Amino acid sequence: MSLDVASRSGRPGPEELVPSRYAVRVGEIDVLVVSDGVLPLPTKMLGHNADDTARAAWLNDMFLPPDAFDWSLNVVVVRSGEQVILIDAGLGLDPDLNLPRAGQLVKRLEAAGIDLGSVTDVVLTHMHMDHVGGLIVDGVKERLRPDLRIHVAAAEVKFWEAPDFTHVNMPAGFPDALRTAAKKFAQEYRSHLRLFDDEHEVAPGVVVRRTGGHTPGHSIVRLASGGDRLTFAGDAVFAVGFDHPDWHNGFEHDPEEAARVRLRLLTELAASGEQLVATHLPFPSVGRVAVEGDAFRWVPVFWDY
Ligand SMILES: [Zn+2]
């Protein structure tokens, strides 16, 4: 049977060829990485401070197309004690940006048997549309609990009141879409926000910590239980960041600081040997970091079936 037949026959069976979720356990904490889909983006955004030859060489070495490729978009669901915590919410829906392959989260949570009404907490690494957009899709808020807590850095909410886009390098249309989505999110969910300054323990072993850099309130989530550790790095690390931690990503509002954050985090993760998951690393994005010369190496885990 050809792949095409499997995906389009209309007969009962799996609708998607690629699994969209991957489970990991960190001590007593359950972690489920769920794919929100992919975002095709121009390759220039990988390192807008790098010269074109170096960028082309990296893409070639990675067997990636020269002009644009699909970035993964990963969301994580964490269960710790009685709490069900959604870390970020995917892209949602923005017809103007023509990104129909992203925004799959709600459907995929349903496929995983996770009811939106069971989510007790949301943690946002930051308020870019590809992280909050899933919450502002029509009909989603009504399905969430009235007492839902949304944890986000105070600096992030403040930033989006008057966001600075002078240091970013995004495709046309993105800055306006990001402004609109962040504003809509803040308006709709104001009463749910639980702001923290630098660090906050959301549930036993689940700590969100502000790093800044990517955005002023950008945060990472550290999980620790029974001697195991896993870090969800949000947008502090991209696929190119292991080889070129100093390359500026087009979505970074303070790229110099973002590079310092990345270098510090990768150094720390390489030393601890803990697992890393990040929003835009290839799904399921579970691996570890090794040091290689002056840079780093991404070491994916062997899938556990
Ligand atoms: Zn992102």
Side-chain angles (χ1 to χ4, degrees):
M1 185 163 65
S2 77
L3 296 180
D4 196 51
V5 170
S7 62
R8 294 180 194 166
S9 67
R11 286 197 299 259
E15 284 183 9
E16 298 182 296
L17 289 170
V18 177
S20 58
R21 57 184 187 269
Y22 184 80
V24 189
R25 239 176 120 73
V26 178
E28 297 292 306
I29 301 173
D30 285 317
V31 180
L32 190 69
V33 182
V34 181
S35 169
D36 186 56
V38 292
L39 282 174
L41 287 170
T43 48
K44 170 104 173 133
M45 295 195 49
L46 290 178
H48 58 91
N49 61 331
D51 74 56
D52 293 346
T53 324
R55 197 167 47 244
W58 185 81
L59 291 161
N60 189 55
D61 287 351
M62 294 294 285
F63 298 92
L64 288 168
D67 300 324
F69 74 96
D70 293 337
W71 294 22
S72 276
L73 194 36
N74 304 307
V75 171
V76 169
V77 181
V78 169
R79 279 202 180 86
S80 175
E82 299 298 304
Q83 288 169 259
V84 177
I85 303 153
L86 183 64
I87 306 179
D88 287 344
L91 181 86
L93 192 69
D94 191 316
D96 295 341
L97 293 178
N98 192 26
L99 300 166
R101 295 167 67 207
Q104 311 287 333
L105 178 69
V106 171
K107 188 177 83 183
R108 287 175 171 173
L109 287 178
E110 277 168 10
I114 297 169
D115 178 11
L116 281 179
S118 71
V119 176
T120 58
D121 301 81
V122 173
V123 177
L124 296 176
T125 60
H126 59 300
M127 284 166 56
H128 274 162
M129 177 183 56
D130 55 323
H131 301 253
V132 301
L135 297 173
I136 54 176
V137 172
D138 283 350
V140 166
K141 192 179 177 201
E142 291 69 24
R143 293 165 62 191
L144 291 163
R145 295 160 64 117
D147 61 347
L148 176 75
R149 298 173 290 257
I150 302 181
H151 308 273
V152 58
E156 187 67 10
V157 176
K158 181 147 185 23
F159 173 71
W160 288 100
E161 289 167 7
D164 176 5
F165 279 76
T166 50
H167 303 291
V168 303
N169 194 314
M170 299 177 186
F174 272 73
D176 282 346
L178 294 185
R179 275 191 202 95
T180 306
K183 199 169 166 189
K184 187 170 180 206
F185 163 75
Q187 278 167 357
E188 285 190 16
Y189 286 93
R190 190 162 300 281
S191 67
H192 294 269
L193 300 184
R194 301 290 179 272
L195 306 181
F196 62 89
D197 289 328
D198 291 314
E199 199 170 281
H200 173 64
E201 185 168 30
V202 176
V206 182
V207 174
V208 56
R209 196 182 83 197
R210 187 173 72 85
T211 63
H214 186 76
T215 57
H218 180 275
S219 301
I220 61 175
V221 183
R222 321 284 319 241
L223 307 179
S225 172
D228 287 346
R229 289 173 64 180
L230 182 149
T231 290
F232 182 72
D235 283 11
V237 180
F238 299 91
V240 73
F242 300 96
D243 291 327
H244 300 288
D246 54 336
W247 283 11
H248 295 168
N249 181 279
F251 281 100
E252 289 164 349
H253 291 260
D254 182 346
E256 303 276 352
E257 178 62 8
R260 284 190 287 270
V261 167
R262 180 160 42 249
L263 191 61
R264 260 199 314 270
L265 181 64
L266 290 174
T267 304
E268 190 188 330
L269 295 176
S272 72
E274 72 196 85
Q275 297 189 89
L276 164 67
V277 174
T279 307
H280 302 295
L281 293 180
F283 180 81
S285 169
V286 183
R288 292 186 170 80
V289 182
V291 172
E292 186 155 284
D294 298 339
F296 301 92
R297 183 163 49 90
W298 169 240
V299 186
V301 294
F302 286 21
W303 282 29
D304 185 12
Y305 286 97

